Amino acid sequence: MTPAAASELLLSIESTCDETAAAVIRRDGTVLGQCIATQETLHEQFGGVVPEIAARAHLERILPVIDTALTQAKVRGEDLTAIAVADRPGLAGSLLVGVVAAKTLALAWNKPLISLNHLHAHLYACQLIEGAPANIYPAIGLIVSGGHTSLYVCRTAIDLEYLGGTIDDAAGEAFDKVAAMLSLPFPGGIEVAKLASQGNDKAYSFPRSMIHDPGDDFSFSGLKTAVRYAIVGPGRQDFASLDISDQVKRDVCASFEAAVVDVLVSKCRRAIKRHRNRNNNPQNSINRLIVGGGVAANQRLRRDLQAAADKDGFELWIAPPHLCTDNAVMGAIAWKKFEAEQFASLDLDITPGLQRGF
Ligand code: KG4
Ligand code: ZN
């Protein structure tokens, strides 16, 4: 590393949903300071993230979180090289807090501003795996998060082509809704996964929607309804009054998780096969899969993707579990935008909502 690179420092800010996070990352990727304030206790009584509550909590936490990251890194604002913030996609109020904080600090400290696509950052978490090659791109990218289930061709970290995605619920959303049906604690994905590891994945035959569809789209809402019918039968609404045995819960979770994972793995295998021999031109061929987002922390998904990679002979990189859920360290992708001189102006606005099709 050159002496200049050692002193080049990025402040990365993340506030797209319900985690307020900041990190100080050196140009060589070393994380000098980081802080995440989670909001789980604020939302658990509602069984999901309440956007208004999330925005207010970000507002209270954003400056202390940034301050903690800078203090940990022993860096003053004036010493920074650039400030990066996720401006899309996400909850409007949540995004706004991060973007306004980043713009204000960029103005006060006279630093360049870099805007980040949160989804691209989730995939970039794979580049941060210890032992990963210097460049994991080009690759097919799978994002599996609470809001998104999407496949991309990633030519570089910041040049992505959308292949397809869910037409209804995201994989993480389905995990969370099944957790709610079973009255499991919030956030639900990890709780479903815990029970699934002790259940029989063949106890229920849940649908693998669109698994035979040749395209790259997904659908998980039919699976969610099938789980609902398995638990209560059609017509009944009140999950809270149900008395479901622990064994049934474990079996429902295992069978549900198997259905989600089967579809994700099958779609990835097909996308890789299609791009491996593209036009028989080695220059266009891609034989590498990168996977990020909260659901990428799921052990069964990780295991089954690895088995598919071994069988089909493709290279696989899955974000480290601690970088699967939302964090600011994956904002290291901002260095790629810095190198490409892709800076944002102080007019930067948020692009909220779900991101489909691009
Ligand atoms: O990426 P993320 O932190 O936030 C979004 O950008 O959406 O993903 C959160 C999602 C939630 O739906 C959560 O239930 C799910 O990831 N999740 C999991 C696991 N850990 C988190 N789903 C399945 N298995 C897990 N181990
Ligand atoms: Zn996320």
Side-chain angles (χ1 to χ4, degrees), residues 43-58:
H43 302 289
E44 65 183 347
Q45 60 175 308
F46 304 102
V49 176
V50 182
E52 271 301 318
I53 295 175
R56 282 165 205 265
H58 282 304

Side-chain angles (χ1 to χ4, degrees), residues 138 275-278 280-288:
H275 286 82
R276 184 150 57 191
N277 303 313
R278 225 178 185 185
N280 290 327
N281 178 350
Q283 282 203 315
N284 290 337
S285 81
I286 297 175
N287 196 31
R288 184 186 293 136

Side-chain angles (χ1 to χ4, degrees), residues 114 125-126 163 177 181 216 219 235 265 275 283 328-329 356:
I114 298 170
C126 298
L163 292 174
K177 287 177 178 170
M181 290 181 212
D216 294 312
S219 165
V265 172
H275 286 82
Q283 282 203 315
V329 171
R356 301 260 157 92

Side-chain angles (χ1 to χ4, degrees), residues 127-132 317 320:
Q127 185 65 75
L128 307 175
I129 298 169
E130 242 184 83
W317 299 96

Side-chain angles (χ1 to χ4, degrees), residues 201-219:
D201 62 4
K202 296 189 179 57
Y204 297 87
S205 166
F206 289 136
R208 271 72 171 154
S209 305
M210 297 183 81
I211 200 166
H212 299 299
D213 183 284
D216 294 312
D217 286 337
F218 303 82
S219 165

